[in-house]
Amino acid sequence: MAGIAGVVALTTVQAAAEQAFVTLNGDLKKEAWWVIAEFHPFTTEVRGIPANQIRKSWCKATEFRKDLIPKELLFESGADAMKGAGMSFAIEGRFDGAATRQIAVVGVFQECAGPKGRFMLVLDQPDGGKPKIRFLDAVRTNRQFGALSKDKGGKPVLWECMECDGYSVLKWDRKKNRFGWEPQAEEL
């Protein structure tokens, strides 16, 4: 970590304007990278779905992927910190109990008017078909980092950081026939 402590901007995949996907606004010696990270979306679709079809006000949306984030941040002492914490940027399952495979992904969006934030999508992944949005959670925030895991029952868990208690569990409500957030109560 000491080799990157003085880095202000990290470059991995660059947008047309040559802006890095991840920039750091702070000191890595004092704060975790995901706390001081600012993400700059540069794609106009997620899994083949145009950003403005996810939300009309969005011009850009970029799914988080490990290849977009500098290895120096994700790998501490040679170990994959996310994998060690049981987290990922995308998870698969049958989150509503249906036969169709689903994928949950997290990323960053930017509205055409400028504000940015974090999103989580749950998409149906039909064999040979186009993904269909089943659930969207989007929040404007200056701290856009997000990661996913599964709880003991296989439900998606959205994390706001890698080493904190800031998480939400997504649950399928059979009676309402839709996804919703569980009240935080039990330990994962």
Side-chain angles (χ1 to χ4, degrees):
M1 275 289 213
I4 62 170
V7 176
V8 175
L10 298 168
T11 306
T12 55
V13 174
Q14 296 185 346
E18 298 297 319
Q19 171 135 38
F21 178 60
V22 181
T23 56
L24 300 178
N25 299 315
D27 185 349
L28 283 172
K29 291 180 182 177
K30 296 179 182 175
E31 297 179 272
W33 73 268
W34 56 87
V35 174
I36 60 173
E38 183 176 347
F39 297 91
H40 307 280
F42 63 94
T43 57
T44 57
E45 64 179 38
V46 175
R47 304 273 170 143
I49 302 171
N52 64 3
Q53 287 182 19
I54 298 171
R55 273 259 162 97
K56 288 184 189 333
S57 62
W58 293 4
C59 280
K60 296 178 185 174
T62 302
E63 177 183 345
F64 291 142
R65 299 188 327 253
K66 285 186 177 182
D67 65 320
L68 296 178
I69 299 172
K71 289 186 182 347
E72 301 86 28
L73 299 178
L74 291 175
F75 292 84
E76 297 175 11
S77 304
D80 184 335
M82 285 188 71
K83 187 175 181 180
M87 296 179 180
S88 181
F89 294 129
I91 57 173
E92 292 187 13
R94 287 175 168 65
F95 306 125
D96 64 359
T100 304
R101 183 176 58 93
Q102 295 165 330
I103 189 161
V105 299
V106 289
V108 60
F109 68 85
Q110 184 166 11
E111 295 176 5
C112 300
K116 292 191 286 187
R118 173 184 55 246
F119 71 83
M120 176 187 167
L121 278 172
V122 175
L123 304 169
D124 277 345
Q125 295 283 293
D127 292 331
K130 185 178 177 181
K132 177 185 170 191
I133 298 172
R134 291 295 307 280
F135 175 81
L136 168 65
D137 181 71
V139 60
R140 287 181 183 174
T141 180
N142 293 330
R143 293 192 174 173
Q144 298 104 20
F145 178 84
L148 298 168
S149 67
K150 291 181 186 178
D151 74 358
K152 294 173 187 170
K155 292 180 277 197
V157 180
L158 173 63
W159 295 89
E160 296 175 12
C161 63
M162 287 184 21
E163 296 174 359
C164 70
D165 293 333
Y167 69 89
S168 300
V169 179
L170 190 66
K171 176 184 174 184
W172 176 253
D173 187 324
R174 291 181 201 270
K175 291 180 183 174
K176 294 180 181 178
N177 200 31
R178 67 178 184 187
F179 286 103
W181 295 112
E182 271 187 10
Q184 274 189 349
E186 76 254 12
E187 192 173 306
L188 298 176

